[in-house]
């Protein structure tokens, strides 16, 4: 138990446990940092304080289902939701939840990771990908992407104009069928 407690305390992610009544039983330093509540404030507090009111019904229904006597099969699930900090700010989180312990007193344990940076990176990557796609479609040079078997995966407008094949015709075709002159294949 000491090694487990030490590991939980050292974990950068929030690690929270709750009993079948939905009240918080354990709260690590990662949870303090993420949610803004000290452990002394959080222990005994209902989990619903960590979520916006619009999520309460869904949370309580799921919690009720899992708080009933548990089967021999362990439950675990990962969710992406918005959590609520002490200051009222919402934060995107990934929650990995597991239920265990005696059937009369199941313990809900969650590892909660702040996904703010991850979400921002994904948004920047999506923006960059959209800009790249915009430029690829409008550049005057043929842009062709081949897979490992030398079949077309990407084919832009310039490739259509230069080689005379529409994108729908070119995708999936081998280079020999599109851009390699027949006499070069026979040689």
């Amino acid at each position: 138990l000491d090694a487990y407690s030490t590991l939980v305390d050292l974990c950068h992610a929030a690690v929270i446990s709750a009993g079948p009544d939905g009240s918080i039983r354990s709260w690590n330093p990662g949870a303090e940092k993420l949610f803004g509540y000290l452990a002394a404030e959080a222990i005994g507090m209902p989990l619903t304080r960590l979520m916006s009111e619009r999520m309460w019904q869904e949370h309580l229904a799921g919690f009720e289902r899992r708080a009933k006597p548990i089967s021999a099969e362990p439950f675990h699930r990962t969710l992406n939701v918005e959590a609520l900090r002490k200051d009222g700010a919402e934060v995107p989180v990934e929650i990995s939840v597991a239920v265990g312990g005696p059937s009369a007193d199941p313990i809900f344990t969650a590892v909660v990771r702040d996904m703010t940076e991850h979400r921002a990176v994904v948004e920047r990557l999506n923006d960059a990908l959209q800009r790249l796609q915009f430029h690829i479609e409008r550049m005057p040079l043929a842009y062709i992407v081949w897979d490992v078997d030398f079949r077309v995966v990407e084919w832009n407008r310039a490739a259509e104009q230069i080689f005379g094949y529409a994108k729908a015709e070119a995708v999936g075709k081998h280079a020999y069928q599109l851009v390699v002159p027949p006499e070069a294949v026979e040689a």
Side-chain angles (χ1 to χ4, degrees):
L1 189 60
D2 280 350
Y4 173 78
S5 297
T6 301
L7 181 63
V8 168
D9 285 346
L10 292 173
C11 185
H12 293 291
V15 180
I16 303 165
S17 296
D21 63 350
S23 65
I24 296 170
R25 290 190 178 178
S26 68
W27 187 263
N28 77 337
E32 288 183 347
K33 183 177 177 186
L34 176 60
F35 291 101
Y37 293 98
L38 297 174
E41 297 172 284
I43 305 290
M45 182 173 80
L47 282 171
T48 52
R49 294 265 302 269
L50 305 178
M51 60 191 75
S52 65
E53 286 185 48
R54 70 180 183 277
M55 296 179 64
W56 285 3
Q57 290 303 100
E58 186 179 340
H59 166 76
L60 291 173
F63 202 80
E64 220 172 83
R65 278 193 310 275
R66 291 294 165 191
K68 292 179 181 164
I70 58 174
S71 66
E73 193 136 334
F75 170 80
H76 55 84
R77 186 170 179 199
T78 299
L79 309 162
N80 287 289
V81 296
E82 301 293 320
L84 195 61
R85 293 185 182 179
K86 182 179 179 179
D87 64 8
E90 287 191 359
V91 58
V93 295
E94 178 184 80
I95 304 173
S96 298
V97 183
V99 182
S103 61
D105 191 28
I107 301 296
F108 295 80
T109 303
V111 176
V112 185
R113 286 180 293 286
D114 184 340
M115 298 302 284
T116 304
E117 278 186 44
H118 175 79
R119 191 177 278 181
V121 168
V122 168
E123 286 176 14
R124 285 195 308 271
L125 286 172
N126 283 334
D127 288 346
L129 183 59
Q130 287 177 357
R131 283 192 309 276
L132 177 62
Q133 199 63 40
F134 174 85
H135 292 295
I136 286 171
E137 284 303 315
R138 285 155 186 79
M139 70 183 187
L141 303 171
Y143 176 81
I144 304 168
V145 176
W146 313 96
D147 67 11
V148 294
D149 296 322
F150 219 46
R151 295 193 179 282
V152 174
V153 176
E154 293 286 332
W155 188 267
N156 72 349
R157 287 184 200 159
E160 289 180 340
Q161 293 170 351
I162 294 168
F163 297 105
Y165 295 99
K167 182 176 183 172
E169 294 174 287
V171 171
K173 294 253 170 65
H174 194 278
Y176 288 153
Q177 297 170 288
L178 301 169
V179 299
V180 179
E183 60 273 9
V185 175
E186 294 171 9

